[in-house]
Amino acid sequence: MSNHNKSTAAACPDTKFAIGGYSLGASVTDIAIGIRTYLGTGQTIPTELAPRVVAVIAFGNPLGLYGQTIKTASSTYGPKSLEFCNRGDTVCGGTGTGPGYGHLGYATDGSVDQAAAFIAKQYTAS
């Protein structure tokens, strides 16, 4: 993810980014923005590109198992983040307020539409 952002940023200097993932992909997103996860660490998006990342979205993020969210774990990306953890989703700790759809419900519970609206708002505001 970090390499893709770097190469795209170099080729397209006016591009803004919305990044994110579901489940393991959310962990990859965490690593890309510099949050240590149970998977360890990896390459992060360079600090100079952080202003071009306008939104960070996570669905079923395992970071929740450790009592964290992107908002609490990253002062840089937290204000730009939106996370979904359904009640009953044991992958992210299941403490969310969404309906009890569990880990497989994000595609049909309205979360994707909420994420798209958030990304559009973030792009417009930046």
Side-chain angles (χ1 to χ4, degrees):
M1 182 182 282
S2 299
N3 286 337
H4 178 73
N5 278 271
K6 287 189 287 189
S7 64
T8 301
C12 306
D14 295 327
T15 296
K16 297 176 189 176
F17 299 92
I19 61 173
Y22 162 68
S23 194
L24 185 57
S27 288
V28 170
T29 302
D30 295 335
I31 291 169
I33 61 175
I35 299 172
R36 185 172 176 80
T37 73
Y38 73 96
L39 297 175
T41 58
Q43 279 192 319
T44 60
I45 295 169
T47 305
E48 64 271 12
L49 293 183
R52 292 173 60 182
V53 176
V54 298
V56 180
I57 307 294
F59 301 92
N61 192 345
L63 191 62
L65 292 173
Y66 303 97
Q68 291 186 300
T69 64
I70 294 170
K71 285 193 185 311
T72 61
S74 175
S75 60
T76 301
Y77 295 99
K80 306 173 186 186
S81 70
L82 181 62
E83 295 178 80
F84 299 90
C85 178
N86 282 339
R87 235 180 13 247
D89 184 346
T90 57
V91 174
C92 59
T95 59
T97 57
Y101 293 125
H103 194 63
L104 301 177
Y106 300 104
T108 59
D109 70 2
S111 298
V112 173
D113 292 338
Q114 289 177 49
F118 178 79
I119 291 167
K121 180 181 172 189
Q122 292 293 104
Y123 266 95
T124 302
S126 67

